[in-house]
Amino acid sequence: MAKKRASAATTALKAALPPGIKVIQIPQDAEVLVDVDVNDMVIPYTVAADGDVVIKSLVDQREPLVLDVGTHRLGWSFAHQAKGWMHRISIKIDGSDTLLEKRSEADKDQDHSVGVAFLIVA
Amino acid sequence: MTTRTLRLCRIAVVLAAIALAPAAAFAQLPTINRTLRDAALTAVQKEFAAPLAAATTDAEKRAVYRQMFEALMRNDSLYPRLTQAGYRDAIAQDSSRAYTGLVTAVGAEVRESAISPSVNAPLSNPAANGLIERSGATELIALAADLRSLFASDGSAVTLNLNAVALFRGTTRNNIHAGAQYLYAQRENWRRVSGSVTFGAKIPEKDLTGISGIPNPNELFDAIAWDVKVRAIGDRDPRASKWYELFVGRMGTVTELAATVPTHPIVPIADTGIAADAANEVLGNETRMAANRVANSLLVSVKTSGQHLTQEAGRNKYAVAVMVDKGFANVDFTANATYSAADAPVIAATDPFKTKDWQLSAALTGSVLKNALVNGRAAELSAAFSGIIQMDDADIPIDRKNVFKLNATLSLPLMDKAKIPLSFTYSNDPNNLEKEKYVIGQIGVSYDFGSIWSALK
């Protein structure tokens, strides 16, 4: 029953948001980790949930997300100055990896990015 | 009573810390005080409430959110107030908490000509192509070969450049996954010192003494040259502690605002994507401005050098030089001033004497053809002017006149850290008995081992 309600919420939210913004459904008791891999950074990157900083760092980090039932916003921001830069941010839900964003100089991506994803816990 | 009061105070401090903790529960670097940020955000939202309500399209809303971000960034209270030591400690602590990590080559995402180090030694290497020497030096070790013989008969020379930091073992980091700035901070002052040795050069008499008004000024001599260079002011490496406040302090605050504001409860869910797009635009502008500030910063180096004829006793030239680099828009200006004294040959009926010169040079260097030859790299194009002003004493038996040179050099990138400089130099020489005006074309190749070394150590 709970899963059905979450799916409906997810569908409704996806329809209301611009394309490209991920909406991820998370079971209530799941273990959720934010995982960030970077190549040498000189500007700290930030990962935030609902306006609060989860990670602010210059190096690879992995941190747990403690989320109540409901809809949450996860945001991230990267800016690069180093040669050969790369960043990859993903969310692990009970060990299962969902890629949120991967950018690199090698792929000729823009050297800065701000992204958001919606997490629906139900 | 006093003890109880103290205990209550401690409890109050702990409770206050817990209350403030959620904003920085997992943060590895200092974050903005949440109370301050929320107050600033509320004030900005109030200020822009009317324009936001009036905005009907996504583009209009994005423009308003962009103004809101810019207003937030003008709020000085949001930026950390750390000392240099404070930033260094924060970076070290952040590195020690890394989850995983690889350390790879670091260059700067600023224009290539701005960070281009001198991997040759044009002011002291008699066979070098180019007239001008940049203030920067190799990160660790670099080799440069001047293949002058392809165009003229002056032989070839090889220059080995060494940064003082290469004399030390790599920083131990078995138990940590260190960040770029953390590693660079190790022996940062030693990175200011570099030196070079040039061997294999064959130079004409006139290049050593500046005397071309003799019967055989083009006679070649075997020579070695050396220099020791110290960067006295500035550092264009974005990892340098000079830039902690800009990158970790200011830009770290901008990235934090860009990630926290679009997800903040104060921003309506429907506006999340628009606010993120606006933050991305602002972040891009700030990133470009920060890169330009590094690229255009002042560099000043001083060096001392010597040239010695290996098969002629007592024939040496010593020089002291000051090098200045300053960027303007997308061009780098470089100026060199060199004072040198050289042992002149024994000319009939005179005692040995020294020739003394001031050499003043200036050049403009820019990056061209970015990504055209090597992905992520650009060619460098420079134009230089140099004047050699004679400072001889009155008792010098030869009357020397000033010499002027013009040079154009195009350095083509090759692979990750190699360059192929092609240069053409025009020179007048009123002292030369043949009154010739000549153009010399040169080609060279250089390789900076800095990146490979960093990856392996």
Side-chain angles (χ1 to χ4, degrees), chain B residues 397-413:
Chain B
I398 294 175
D399 180 28
R400 297 189 302 146
K401 293 185 174 66
N402 299 338
V403 177
F404 298 98
K405 295 180 180 179
L406 287 171
N407 170 273
T409 301
L410 179 65
S411 293
L412 303 172

Side-chain angles (χ1 to χ4, degrees), chain B residues 48-112:
Chain B
F48 287 91
L52 196 58
T56 52
T57 66
D58 285 357
E60 287 171 354
K61 278 188 177 179
R62 190 162 55 241
V64 177
Y65 273 110
R66 186 182 163 137
Q67 289 170 28
M68 290 170 73
F69 273 110
E70 288 165 349
L72 268 181
M73 287 189 309
R74 285 194 293 271
N75 188 334
D76 283 341
S77 69
L78 300 180
Y79 295 95
R81 309 222 184 285
L82 293 180
T83 60
Q84 199 79 338
Y87 279 118
R88 188 167 291 133
D89 289 347
I91 288 167
Q93 194 175 350
D94 181 48
S95 276
S96 69
R97 290 200 51 192
Y99 173 66
T100 58
L102 290 173
V103 176
T104 57
V106 174
E109 189 53 23
V110 295
R111 67 177 182 277
E112 185 153 345

